[in-house]
Amino acid sequence: MTIKACIKKYANELKNITHIPNKEVEILILHLLQKNVIWLHLNSHLEFEYEKELEKLVKKRATNYPLEYLTKKASFYGEIFEVASNVLIPRPETELLVDKAIEILEEIKSPKVLEIGVGSGIISVMLAKLIEDISIIAVDINDDALELAKTNAIKHGVEDKIEFIKSDLYANISNEIDFHMTISNPPYIADNYKLPKNVEFEPKNALFGGKVGDELLKMIIEQTYSRKIKYLLCEMGYDQKKPLEEFFKTFNIEEYSFYKDYSDFDRGFVIKFKKEK
C-alpha cells in the first residue's frame, strides 16, 4: 500500500478522536520513517513498509492516547522538544508565559530566574535560548521530569545556563541566591475536576493543584514574596482570577496584571512586588 493510501485508510479510524485525522496519520508516518513533511509530499506515491507498526500506533491513538506520547516529541515556541509519558505535554498557551517573561528579562542585566515545576523544560530552555546572559535554576519533584528537562537543555545547547535541582517549591533552594524572577506553570486544576479523555493519560501530580485548585499557586505567591523576589509569573486556571486577585491584597504588591490565552480565557498573571525598605 502506498503512503497516500495508508493516510486515507487510517485517517478514517481517527475521525472521531481528532479534527485533523489526515494530519495525525502523516505525523505518525513521519515518526516511523524519520522524515520531514517535504519528503512526504514528494514521495507519497511510494510503498509504505511499516503498515503494521502504523496500525498499532493508530489503534493506540484511537483510545485518546496523546499523539505526543506516541511520537515522543512536541512543538513549542517553534522548537521541537522531547516528551515522555510521565511528564506533562507542552501546551501552546504556555508560550504566552514565556513572552511575558522575556518582556521583563530583556530589561535586566544578567537576570537570575527560578522555574518551579520544570516539567519537560520548555520554559527554562526557551528563556535560556532567547536571553543571552541569563542564569536559571529549574526545580521539580519528579526525577523523570528533571532528566527529561536536562535532555532538552542539552538538545538545545543551553545546559550551561540551567541548573536542575530536585525540590518541592523553594525547599532545597538557598536563601542566599538573589533571583530577579520566579516563573511557574504549576498544577492548578481542582482535584474533583473531570479531565478530558486525552488528558487522563498525563501525570495527575502535574495537573491537580488541590481541593480548590489554586492551593499551590498561593503557596508559590507566599514563598516568592517571603524570598523578596521582585517578579512572579504564573499560569493559572481560567476561573481563578477573582480569588487570586483577593489573595494578592494580603501582599505588598507594586503592580499586577492578568493575561488571556489564545481562546480568550484568563490564563496567567504577572506580579511585581514592592521593594521592602
Side-chain angles (χ1 to χ4, degrees), residues 4-23:
K4 188 176 182 180
C6 275
I7 294 169
K8 185 177 180 181
K9 175 182 175 180
Y10 289 103
N12 197 49
E13 295 189 26
L14 297 181
K15 63 183 181 182
N16 295 324
I17 296 295
T18 172
H19 66 286
I20 49 167
N22 287 61
K23 181 66 176 175

Side-chain angles (χ1 to χ4, degrees), residues 156-175:
H156 289 278
V158 293
E159 67 273 20
D160 59 329
K161 293 184 176 183
I162 309 170
E163 181 182 358
F164 297 95
I165 297 175
K166 186 174 185 179
S167 180
D168 186 358
L169 306 184
Y170 287 91
N172 296 330
I173 302 303
S174 170
N175 278 304

Side-chain angles (χ1 to χ4, degrees), residues 103-260:
E103 285 176 22
I104 297 166
L105 295 171
E106 282 180 335
E107 303 301 317
I108 300 171
K109 187 179 179 182
S110 302
K112 291 185 175 66
V113 176
L114 174 72
E115 184 186 1
I116 292 175
V118 68
S120 58
I122 55 170
I123 294 172
S124 285
V125 168
M126 287 314 307
L127 291 179
K129 283 175 76 78
L130 297 168
I131 304 292
E132 189 175 348
D133 55 350
I134 198 170
S135 63
I136 301 169
I137 291 179
V139 307
D140 209 294
I141 57 171
N142 181 346
D143 288 315
D144 292 328
L146 289 166
E147 282 304 311
L148 178 63
K150 283 180 194 174
T151 297
N152 278 318
I154 293 166
K155 175 186 170 80
H156 289 278
V158 293
E159 67 273 20
D160 59 329
K161 293 184 176 183
I162 309 170
E163 181 182 358
F164 297 95
I165 297 175
K166 186 174 185 179
S167 180
D168 186 358
L169 306 184
Y170 287 91
N172 296 330
I173 302 303
S174 170
N175 278 304
E176 303 301 311
I177 305 170
D178 291 323
F179 292 105
H180 296 95
M181 175 188 290
T182 293
I183 188 167
S184 183
N185 177 18
Y188 51 72
I189 298 172
D191 289 346
N192 64 355
Y193 183 78
K194 177 65 176 169
L195 295 170
K197 285 184 179 180
N198 61 311
V199 182
E200 287 180 354
F201 292 98
E202 297 188 62
K204 304 297 184 289
N205 64 356
L207 294 164
F208 293 112
K211 189 175 180 182
V212 177
D214 62 8
E215 289 90 338
L216 265 173
L217 277 165
K218 288 178 176 177
M219 288 171 67
I220 291 169
I221 294 165
E222 286 174 342
Q223 292 181 31
T224 304
Y225 180 71
S226 70
R227 293 274 180 139
K228 297 181 170 58
I229 298 168
K230 189 172 186 179
Y231 292 100
L232 173 62
L233 285 71
C234 289
E235 201 166 295
M236 67 179 199
Y238 71 94
D239 57 351
Q240 293 170 343
K241 179 179 177 180
K242 193 172 180 181
L244 285 173
E245 203 162 18
E246 281 299 308
F247 189 67
F248 290 172
K249 292 176 183 177
T250 60
F251 300 94
N252 198 4
I253 291 175
E254 184 175 325
E255 61 183 19
Y256 68 85
S257 60
F258 291 90
Y259 66 86
K260 294 179 181 292

